[in-house]
Amino acid sequence: MSRLAVLGAGESGVGAAVLAKKKGFEVFVSDYGTIKPVYVKTLENNGIEYEQGGHSVSKILNAGEVVKSPGIRDDAPIVLKLNDAKIPVISEIEFAARYTNAKFVCVTGSNGKTTTTELIYHIMKSAGMDVAMAGNVGNSLAILVAGGHDYEYYVLELSSFQLDNMYDFHAHVAVVTNITPDHLDRYGYKMQNYVDSKMRIIRNQAEGDLFVFFGDDPILMDEVKKRKGTFKQKVMVFSLTREPISGILFPEDDGYMAYNDGYIGRGMPCMDFKLKGKHNRCNIMAATLATCHVGLPLDKVLEYVKEFEPLEHRVEPCGEVDGVKYVNDSKGTNVDAVWYALDSVGDSVILILGGVDKGNDYSQLYDLVGKKVKAIVAMGVDNTPIHKAFDGRKKVVDVRSMAECIETCRSLATKGDTVLLSPACASFDLFTCYEDRGEQFKDAVRKLKQS
């Protein structure tokens, strides 16, 4: 019997353990922290050996292969020991893909990947296709594969951390929404390391596959140019500004989308999409190219796009109090996401930044902040990076809780303003996750409306 160790007992780790057990592996799960009760129950119900609060190194090094949860750093001591022992370390996605015949429609990027993933899934599901969604959003892929129904398609959101430990995985459709600085603390503060991680999504693509990317992104364009002449798959581009040879143009100055692959010159009115803003134009174009490639007619794709509701915590309107609009963009955890959020709201903004800084370069916000932002509310344990970036440019006020944040925003805002929570940072200093941060923001706004 083969022995598999799993590091981390969250959604992906427990999913991998359950699948491995069903496939006859001897499984050992090890989590350095505390395992949530729901996952403890799953492990025990499936008769899987586990530990929490530390690692039994000998038991882990006794495995023939290790599945590492994406939240565990590559420089963690146990991972370094595995590398020294030359024991293969893979991701849950890599492991689960071995046990399904499904085709994979995959999305990565610094921003927009969740909306694009859910939009692709919505389109395919609405069309009656046999499809499930997994990866960095929803269920783990492994737990779905373990469920016994071999779907025809999986739509996967893939983070850079998941891609780092994927080797033989084959994405039949690969979408890269953009690449901007993010998680550089995990990549030695070297942008190219992060870029290389994202581009692993097209690894193993072949003739008949599709690679979709954002043509207005200079980093992506440079990476594509480096690989010129090596593509076996079809390559398609979406753009807001330049008409691609094969792909989609969604101009900034009107409500029409032109699709140039088999529909040369065809314009489609898109003003009635519920998804608004430039960032969502990009998400729509990427999803359209992906779903047309899997065989759906363009008119039906656009019909399903019109039905799609915006996601929580992504430029989500939360209400209006005393003429001040409140917008929740808690999922905006990097600088590029903040830029798009700022660009899509009003011209007089109280901007809430802060949290765990990931090596952010705030300079790309200077012009837009100068034009649109009245004041910055810095909500975090350590707001030094925000002060360093914006002191002397805008008024910056420090707060240490959501209640204090909302009260400060209320004192700074006047009728016609917008209060925008778009932190550019991770949430783990004051909140459990970005969803917790967003829910606390929305709850505070609700209380404000009632007071």
Side-chain angles (χ1 to χ4, degrees):
M1 180 185 293
S2 299
R3 180 171 171 80
L4 183 83
V6 178
L7 295 180
E11 179 69 22
S12 66
V14 172
V18 170
L19 177 60
K21 183 75 173 182
K22 291 197 171 185
K23 295 300 178 181
F25 285 82
E26 180 185 342
V27 187
F28 176 63
V29 177
S30 179
D31 196 307
Y32 198 77
T34 301
I35 303 175
K36 292 181 179 179
V38 64
Y39 294 132
V40 168
K41 183 177 180 181
T42 300
L43 293 170
E44 292 180 346
N45 286 347
N46 284 275
I48 296 170
E49 183 184 3
Y50 70 90
E51 66 176 353
Q52 56 185 321
H55 293 311
S56 298
V57 176
S58 60
K59 286 188 174 183
I60 296 168
L61 294 182
N62 192 33
E65 192 169 44
V66 173
V67 173
K68 180 178 78 68
S69 296
I72 300 173
R73 298 175 64 101
D74 289 334
D75 58 2
I78 187 62
V79 179
L80 295 178
K81 284 183 171 64
L82 287 165
N83 292 341
D84 289 342
K86 294 183 170 46
I87 297 172
V89 178
I90 62 172
S91 74
E92 170 250 341
I93 302 290
E94 176 84 2
F95 179 71
R98 297 172 182 173
Y99 301 101
T100 175
N101 296 315
K103 292 184 177 181
F104 295 105
V105 179
C106 302
V107 182
T108 195
S110 303
N111 299 298
K113 59 183 177 292
T114 300
T115 299
T116 303
T117 300
E118 296 213 16
L119 180 56
I120 290 171
Y121 172 71
H122 164 78
I123 293 167
M124 295 176 70
K125 188 71 174 175
S126 297
M129 300 182 75
D130 184 28
V131 61
M133 180 174 63
N136 203 44
V137 60
N139 294 312
S140 81
L141 176 62
I143 206 73
L144 291 176
V145 172
H149 178 86
D150 197 13
Y151 290 92
E152 184 179 359
Y153 287 95
Y154 286 104
V155 181
L156 304 181
E157 177 187 327
L158 298 176
S159 70
S160 57
F161 305 151
Q162 289 169 315
L163 288 163
D164 286 336
N165 294 108
M166 291 165 60
Y167 303 95
D168 298 323
F169 177 85
H170 174 199
H172 298 84
V173 177
V175 177
V176 184
T177 58
N178 63 353
I179 302 179
T180 61
D182 199 4
H183 303 298
L184 296 186
D185 55 321
R186 286 279 294 260
Y187 293 97
Y189 295 95
K190 294 180 181 178
M191 184 63 185
Q192 189 60 51
N193 291 346
Y194 176 60
V195 172
D196 291 343
S197 174
K198 288 295 188 186
M199 295 304 291
R200 289 174 71 90
I201 196 171
I202 63 173
R203 184 185 180 109
N204 302 318
Q205 282 202 304
E207 188 175 351
D209 296 332
L210 175 66
F211 169 38
V212 175
F213 74 96
F214 183 33
D216 298 348
D217 185 328
I219 293 174
L220 266 172
M221 286 301 297
D222 285 346
E223 289 302 310
V224 170
K225 288 175 183 176
K226 288 178 188 177
R227 293 166 169 77
K228 188 176 180 180
T230 66
F231 294 110
K232 298 177 182 178
Q233 71 273 51
K234 186 174 186 178
V235 179
M236 298 190 77
V237 184
F238 61 94
S239 171
L240 291 166
T241 60
R242 55 192 292 274
E243 190 156 350
I245 296 172
S246 183
I248 287 183
L249 174 71
F250 197 156
E252 297 186 41
D253 57 352
D254 62 34
Y256 283 80
M257 183 164 65
Y259 182 72
N260 292 335
D261 189 66
Y263 298 90
I264 301 297
R266 181 172 175 178
M268 295 151 286
C270 303
M271 294 298 288
D272 51 352
F273 288 161
K274 296 174 184 176
L275 292 172
K276 305 295 184 184
K278 292 178 183 177
H279 60 295
N280 278 322
R281 294 183 184 190
C282 294
N283 300 333
I284 290 167
M285 289 188 287
T288 299
L289 290 173
T291 50
C292 284
H293 183 76
V294 299
L296 298 180
L298 184 60
D299 56 346
K300 298 301 292 183
V301 168
L302 295 179
E303 178 184 320
Y304 300 136
V305 171
K306 291 175 183 177
E307 299 169 356
F308 186 76
E309 298 283 349
L311 301 182
E312 267 193 304
H313 310 300
R314 193 69 186 98
V315 198
E316 176 192 9
C318 298
E320 186 173 318
V321 182
D322 298 329
V324 177
K325 295 178 181 177
Y326 290 80
V327 178
N328 168 30
D329 189 49
S330 184
K331 202 173 188 302
T333 57
N334 58 53
V335 173
D336 196 58
V338 178
W339 192 97
Y340 279 104
L342 264 178
D343 186 62
S344 66
V345 298
D347 291 330
S348 184
V349 179
I350 308 298
L351 176 61
I352 305 168
L353 295 174
V356 181
D357 189 272
K358 298 181 284 185
N360 291 339
D361 176 5
Y362 292 99
S363 61
Q364 75 179 81
L365 295 177
Y366 288 165
D367 184 57
L368 202 55
V369 165
K371 293 175 181 176
K372 302 185 72 167
V373 173
K374 287 178 60 176
I376 292 171
V377 176
M379 181 172 57
V381 171
D382 180 8
N383 295 322
T384 303
I386 296 170
H387 280 284
K388 186 176 180 180
F390 295 104
D391 280 350
R393 295 177 180 273
K394 291 291 173 181
K395 179 179 182 179
V396 180
V397 182
D398 290 297
V399 298
R400 294 290 186 272
S401 69
M402 185 60 74
E404 186 183 3
C405 175
I406 290 295
E407 187 57 38
T408 300
C409 290
R410 187 178 192 180
S411 69
L412 292 170
T414 57
K415 187 175 181 179
D417 291 350
T418 298
V419 173
L420 172 64
L421 169 65
S422 192
C425 299
S427 59
F428 305 121
D429 55 345
L430 295 175
F431 308 94
T432 59
C433 56
Y434 78 82
E435 292 98 336
D436 176 40
R437 180 169 56 192
E439 290 301 330
Q440 288 197 33
F441 179 78
K442 292 195 290 183
D443 185 55
V445 174
R446 282 192 290 267
K447 291 177 180 176
L448 201 60
K449 292 167 73 173
Q450 294 167 3
S451 63

